[in-house]
Amino acid sequence: MMTAPNRLLATLLLAASPSLVAAQQTPLKPLDSAVSQQATALPYSDYADLVLASPVILDATVRSEVRLKPAEAPGVPQNATRLYIEADVTALIRGTGAVPPRIGYTIDVPLDARGRPPRYRKMRVLLFARGVANNQGQVQLVRSDAQRNWTPASDALTRRIVLEVLAPDTPPTVTGIGNAFFTAGDLPGDGETQIFLTTADNRPISLNVLRKAGQPPRWSVALSEVVDEAAPPPARQTLLWYRLACTLPATLPDTALHGSEADNAIVREDYATVLNGLGTCDRTVDGPKEGSVR
């Protein structure tokens, strides 16, 4: 016999599967400067992790939530509970095809000191998700923190990253370090270090450090075989910066070095210059990450 919660959940699941209509896909335009400044204060890398993992990103408002019994929610962490949530879709930020005007999903949330879960009804949220096979009225969050509070700043940052990810010239995913070597210049103290990275789709990317006697090293990133020595380093909170700062190892692997001991020492020093220039990855949440650098 179906329990009352199961009957309610079944009713919700049926209600969440009306005939499909296209959600409003709002244009991915930059917002005003004040909102952009607020977005810059958010942890770019956390949102980039979520965007890259999410085939579907929705702007939605929670309509209802139902707390599932432990028997109906296996694997929930201690001091947490699983909710079944229905939400009305306001906009499709990323995704192909149509989505229902109302979707359902589950989320594991912590309990407060009184053993109660948070209340989300009427809350506007960003959902980072994937579709559920054979059930277009449901989505699955890509990780436990993939429901985020909607704010103008979080919306702006999410849309900006989606634009970067979908751009024709989006930088490749870095998967490792290939070869690295130093070439001395014609004058003492001059030279250039080149560090070639491996990528998921075999597109070229290299780190280039130019040395001139009496000047600090100047570094740049090349996304083709042609190196523009005048190009500035990638700006923070951009996809290229993220794919370098959040994936490059702290030290060069010995397998990448093939020069003399003196040249290899310069390469290591120049690699440290690049890492210092990139700064620390601003990831605050430990979750699935893009790439596998070695």
Side-chain angles (χ1 to χ4, degrees), residues 71-82:
E72 299 161 341
V76 176
Q78 190 175 7
N79 298 323
T81 191
R82 182 165 297 163

Side-chain angles (χ1 to χ4, degrees), residues 129-147:
R130 62 177 67 90
V132 176
N134 302 319
N135 197 334
Q136 292 176 303
Q138 305 294 303
V139 297
Q140 180 185 29
L141 300 183
V142 296
R143 66 189 206 195
S144 61
D145 66 333
Q147 174 184 284

Side-chain angles (χ1 to χ4, degrees), residues 28 44 47-55 57 93-94 128 157-173 201 203 238-240 242-243 290:
L28 299 177
Y44 179 98
Y47 280 84
D49 287 343
L50 288 167
V51 168
L52 289 164
S54 304
I57 303 175
I93 297 175
R94 183 182 187 184
F128 298 86
L157 179 57
T158 298
R159 290 171 182 272
R160 177 158 65 86
I161 297 172
V162 170
L163 276 175
E164 292 181 281
V165 171
L166 300 182
D169 59 349
T170 187
T173 300
D201 57 3
R203 281 188 288 158
T238 61
L239 194 62
L240 178 56
Y242 159 85
R243 285 182 158 156
E290 183 186 64

Side-chain angles (χ1 to χ4, degrees), residues 24-282:
Q24 176 191 6
Q25 182 149 13
T26 54
L28 299 177
K29 298 191 231 178
L31 298 185
D32 60 55
S33 58
V35 171
S36 296
Q37 290 174 1
Q38 293 170 6
T40 302
L42 293 172
Y44 179 98
S45 302
D46 288 350
Y47 280 84
D49 287 343
L50 288 167
V51 168
L52 289 164
S54 304
V56 177
I57 303 175
L58 301 170
D59 172 355
T61 300
V62 174
R63 182 182 182 89
S64 64
E65 60 185 70
V66 176
R67 183 175 178 178
L68 303 182
K69 290 184 176 181
E72 299 161 341
V76 176
Q78 190 175 7
N79 298 323
T81 191
R82 182 165 297 163
L83 302 178
Y84 175 76
I85 291 181
E86 272 196 329
D88 294 324
V89 177
T90 301
L92 174 64
I93 297 175
R94 183 182 187 184
T96 57
V99 297
R102 187 174 302 160
I103 51 92
Y105 59 96
T106 61
I107 183 172
D108 293 348
V109 296
L111 299 173
D112 64 18
R114 295 178 294 179
R116 296 177 181 177
R119 300 298 299 272
Y120 295 117
R121 187 171 178 272
K122 297 185 179 181
M123 182 179 291
R124 190 172 178 183
V125 294
L126 292 172
L127 303 175
F128 298 86
R130 62 177 67 90
V132 176
N134 302 319
N135 197 334
Q136 292 176 303
Q138 305 294 303
V139 297
Q140 180 185 29
L141 300 183
V142 296
R143 66 189 206 195
S144 61
D145 66 333
Q147 174 184 284
R148 294 289 179 113
N149 293 345
W150 185 97
T151 66
S154 64
D155 183 88
L157 179 57
T158 298
R159 290 171 182 272
R160 177 158 65 86
I161 297 172
V162 170
L163 276 175
E164 292 181 281
V165 171
L166 300 182
D169 59 349
T170 187
T173 300
V174 174
T175 58
I177 294 179
N179 296 318
F181 59 88
F182 172 74
T183 302
D186 294 332
L187 300 175
D190 289 4
E192 183 180 13
T193 290
Q194 289 187 288
I195 303 169
F196 295 94
L197 308 180
T198 59
T199 61
D201 57 3
N202 296 317
R203 281 188 288 158
I205 180 170
S206 63
L207 310 174
N208 306 282
V209 183
L210 188 66
R211 287 172 168 253
K212 292 286 186 181
Q215 300 178 18
R218 187 172 71 248
W219 68 277
S220 61
V221 181
L223 297 176
S224 68
E225 304 294 345
V226 179
V227 177
D228 181 2
E229 295 178 348
R236 284 187 64 87
Q237 294 214 334
T238 61
L239 194 62
L240 178 56
W241 169 83
Y242 159 85
R243 285 182 158 156
L244 297 172
C246 298
T247 56
L248 291 177
T251 58
L252 281 175
D254 291 339
T255 54
L257 299 169
H258 306 287
S260 66
E261 185 175 344
D263 285 352
N264 289 345
I266 294 174
V267 172
R268 288 192 177 95
E269 183 178 330
D270 287 345
Y271 182 70
T273 296
V274 172
L275 294 187
N276 288 335
L278 287 169
T280 305
C281 172
D282 62 351

Side-chain angles (χ1 to χ4, degrees), residues 10-29:
T11 301
L12 290 171
L13 291 173
L14 289 172
S17 303
S19 58
L20 292 181
V21 299
Q24 176 191 6
Q25 182 149 13
T26 54
L28 299 177
K29 298 191 231 178

